[in-house]
Amino acid sequence: MSDFSQRLIAWQAVHGRHNLPWQVSDPYRVWLSEIMLQQTQVATVIPYYQQFLERFPDVASLAAASSDDVLARWSGLGYYSRARNLHKAAQMVMERFEGQFPRTPALLAELPGVGPSTAAAIAAFSFGAQAAILDGNVKRVLARWAGISGYPGTKVVERELWQLATNLLPNTGIERYTQSLMDLGATICTPKKPACMACPVQADCIARQQGRQAELPTPKPKKVSPERQTVLMMVERGGKILLERRPPSGIWGGLWSLPEASSTLDASNACQQRFGLNVEFDSAGEDFVHVFTHFRLTITPLPGSVINQTALTHEDHLGWFSKAEALELGLPTPVRKLLMK
DNA sequence: AATTCGGGGCT
DNA sequence: AGCCCAGAATT
């Protein structure tokens, strides 16, 4: 049983990934990579990671940055609460932990954006702590190897997987073992068509013995994703466009976005009410669909020009930007696409 | 305990 | 057109 970890460690040494840019012992770099990699694939993260490190080479520089600067570097990666929490956590490391990352999973998990699995990964990679991770890769590997059925998002199944992950930990070599689980899930024990013949634990894998690789882990029960609709107003005045900073929570929290209207008919009224602007709108652009995890958003772009300004609006969450200036901001992807056209 | 957070890559 | 990804915070 304990030989599970030894087989994985031996396999990783030969067949694992060894050249990922965050495979270092600097806890700042490990932490940054783990946050970026939450629900995000390695290939997507790499360019963001490198640019982010150039701009914020250490935790002190990140803590001292403005939130606009941090969000701008995150723009396009998604799950923007990660960027807000990252910034807060950097400040917490500076103030509460005197610039040094804490060394235990429990303390690491007190940083915003660091949950149980991420805390364990940071502690294992940076400090060699005996801590179990449980990300999507590990859930799949363990559910198949141990033949655990049931959707891992439910509490019962998740508890069972955590228990198993903890029981399987090796006494030594935690860094390579942790990496081996991620590597196996990413390269061999893949969601579809796993390469079982190349797997170091194929001999005692329950899913393989029972031919249930395609059924495990049990998929999330699917629901129809609702449709939503919005109008994004592209209000121009003297070569600049009006952007609005979104509230800190909810969709696209904290990002700069085109102001929304509930309908094309309401746009003119909305500009008058909210911005004190008399705007003449052109005909609407072509609708396009932006897909989120849990709903589909149909966007109607609506260009318009300011006729006159009836009230002074010097609000902190509003701004006029040239196209070039706007593209430097933290923007949601569909807004970025609209501005680039 | 279930839902809410993005976006891209892959099949 | 779905599915999945080095999940956590919120409700």
Side-chain angles (χ1 to χ4, degrees):
Chain A
M1 223 18 187
S2 67
D3 145 82
F4 175 87
S5 61
Q6 298 311 310
R7 280 179 280 163
L8 282 188
I9 288 172
W11 172 83
Q12 204 284 334
V14 180
H15 298 107
R17 298 175 291 185
H18 301 103
N19 292 308
L20 297 172
W22 42 82
Q23 289 178 330
V24 295
S25 56
D26 174 5
Y28 171 69
R29 297 184 177 220
V30 173
W31 165 65
L32 176 62
S33 74
E34 290 300 331
I35 302 299
M36 285 189 166
L37 287 160
Q38 288 169 2
Q39 299 301 99
T40 310
Q41 294 185 355
V42 166
T44 303
V45 165
I46 287 176
Y48 283 89
Y49 176 80
Q50 288 167 338
Q51 289 168 31
F52 205 93
L53 265 187
E54 274 183 39
R55 178 66 187 80
F56 309 114
D58 50 44
V59 67
S61 61
L62 177 56
S66 72
S67 56
D68 268 350
D69 199 355
V70 176
L71 278 171
R73 307 298 159 176
W74 203 273
S75 178
L77 248 192
Y79 283 122
Y80 297 98
S81 66
R82 294 186 296 176
R84 297 193 297 276
N85 286 331
L86 191 83
H87 195 204
K88 283 185 217 154
Q91 294 169 343
M92 191 182 297
V93 169
M94 292 307 294
E95 290 160 21
R96 179 174 162 196
F97 297 109
E98 301 177 332
Q100 304 294 318
F101 277 86
R103 302 174 65 90
T104 66
L107 283 175
L108 284 164
E110 292 190 26
L111 299 173
V114 178
S117 187
T118 299
I122 299 169
F125 286 134
S126 304
F127 307 119
Q130 296 291 311
I133 62 166
L134 191 63
D135 59 25
N137 285 321
V138 181
K139 286 175 180 173
R140 186 169 56 254
V141 169
L142 295 187
R144 283 177 176 162
W145 180 73
I148 296 171
S149 56
Y151 170 53
T154 66
K155 216 58 189 171
V156 185
V157 178
E158 196 183 4
R159 261 199 301 275
E160 190 175 356
L161 288 168
W162 270 116
Q163 187 59 248
L164 179 58
T166 304
N167 290 343
L168 289 171
L169 285 177
N171 293 320
T172 61
I174 188 73
E175 298 93 332
R176 190 179 293 282
Y177 173 71
T178 304
Q179 188 64 51
S180 77
L181 284 170
M182 296 172 169
D183 291 352
L184 190 73
T187 64
I188 303 292
C189 195
T190 49
K192 291 171 183 173
K193 295 204 288 183
C196 297
M197 295 306 289
C199 177
V201 294
Q202 57 171 289
D204 48 354
C205 175
I206 301 295
R208 173 168 165 74
Q209 290 169 6
Q210 301 180 350
R212 297 170 60 208
Q213 296 96 319
E215 302 165 27
L216 296 175
T218 306
K220 180 188 178 79
K222 46 187 158 188
K223 296 186 299 189
V224 291
S225 60
E227 306 268 354
R228 297 189 204 173
Q229 189 152 12
T230 192
V231 174
L232 293 183
M233 300 182 285
M234 307 177 74
V235 177
E236 188 228 323
R237 186 188 69 183
K240 301 204 171 192
I241 193 159
L242 177 63
L243 296 182
E244 183 175 29
R245 191 204 305 270
R246 299 180 64 89
S249 63
I251 288 283
W252 301 331
L255 273 65
W256 287 91
S257 180
L258 293 164
E260 285 188 76
S262 53
S263 74
T264 55
L265 298 178
D266 183 57
S268 183
N269 184 46
C271 286
Q272 187 64 253
Q273 297 292 319
R274 285 155 58 193
F275 312 130
L277 293 174
N278 192 352
V279 179
E280 181 174 34
F281 284 101
D282 309 336
S283 55
E286 192 89 348
D287 280 8
F288 67 99
V289 176
H290 187 73
V291 181
F292 291 83
T293 310
H294 48 298
F295 64 92
R296 296 164 53 86
L297 183 65
T298 300
I299 296 171
T300 304
L302 187 61
S305 304
V306 173
I307 301 303
N308 60 50
Q309 191 160 359
T310 62
L312 287 178
T313 53
H314 286 299
E315 296 186 59
D316 184 47
H317 66 286
L318 296 177
W320 296 92
F321 300 92
S322 72
K323 196 159 284 189
E325 290 167 340
L327 293 175
E328 296 296 314
L329 299 171
L331 302 172
T333 289
V335 172
R336 182 172 297 278
K337 285 178 181 167
L338 273 177
L339 293 179
M340 282 169 52
K341 291 210 301 191

